[in-house]
Amino acid sequence: MNCLGIETSCDETAAAVVRDGRTVLSSVVRTQVELHRVFGGVVPEIACRAHAEAIGPVVEKAVADAGLKLADIDLVAVTSQPGLIGALLVGVSAAKSLAWALGKPIVGVDHIEAHLYANRLANAGFGYPNVGLVVSGGHTSLYHSRGPAEHERLGATRDDAAGEAFDKVAKILGLGYPGGPIIDRLARQGDAKAVEMPRLDDGGPDFSFSGVKTAVLYKWKGQNVGKGRRPRGAAPPRPKLEDLAAAFQEAVVDALVSKTVRAAEERGVRMVGMGGGVACNSRLREKLGDACHRRGLQLYYPPLDLCTDNAAMIAGLGSALFEMGRVSTLELDAVATR
Ligand code: KG4
Ligand code: ZN
């Protein structure tokens, strides 16, 4: 069974073909990052327009790269939630048109559940039950999953998503967009212990990253640093850029790691998965890997191109849902929130 997946929930126009729910025949991702870079974040109206322009060629390329014709597609899967509503509508409309024209079934897929499913697509050993961490530009959530579509949310961010915090801190530090990969690289040359940061694990399952973002802002601007001890008129001390990046990253990573392993232990699961763009972070992979290893937990994460937004994960989960008897109708609607 050849499933065509379509993803347009944020700033990537993506299409992919997955065979029998396991083999990725093609995966095309056209990123809009250059369009949004000047604004330091995704501008919804610009995103919708760019999706509308790209969706046709991206779908055609995915089908051609798979060595197939549109008539060979047996199922259309599409991200229908959550995301930017105008952006989602482009993908959902394209998917419905294709399904109708081809006379093939359509299945709506949840973007977050697809990030979790990317672990299964990439690793045959990854199964259920597991604890999954989704860390991206729009989401930071922990789940206890019993199947591809059975997810109990254990915790989520109260403010910024982890990737959003990376992006905003990079903006504060004048590093460019998107900030995650830049901070990841820069932090390798820094000393995380050289700058004090708030600890972000309050013992509960929810996340909060706005405090550490503000801490970075103050440290960088030199406010509240060495207050009272500084001679009048003296310029406030500024930490080294690399050290500040490393300290910020360490604080975020530590919170993600401790909350994830605690959730796995509390739920008594042996498998941990992660997904979303921040799952590319080298320090997160290293520290979560160590923490899981020490506790006898098996950690899985997809390769980089299946962590960031892509349509292979949509086609993979769409196929699994279809096998379970889940199909949508042409009434399928885009939904902004989960
Ligand atoms: O999953 P994704 O491609 O899109 C969303 O669904 O949001 O994630 C994009 C986010 C951005 O915030 C980006 O800065 C972050 O993932 N990111 C990283 C890294 N690579 C991408 N964050 C930290 N370290 C990285 N290496
Ligand atoms: Zn995503």
Side-chain angles (χ1 to χ4, degrees), residues 259-278:
K259 284 170 186 270
T260 303
V261 293
R262 192 162 60 234
E265 290 193 315
E266 280 173 9
R267 296 288 155 154
V269 305
R270 309 298 335 145
M271 276 185 247
V272 174
M274 63 173 173
V278 184

Side-chain angles (χ1 to χ4, degrees), residues 16-35:
V17 180
V18 171
R19 178 162 287 168
D20 298 331
R22 286 235 72 97
T23 313
V24 181
L25 298 184
S26 66
S27 180
V28 178
V29 179
R30 184 173 300 177
T31 181
Q32 305 174 358
V33 71
E34 289 308 325
L35 295 177

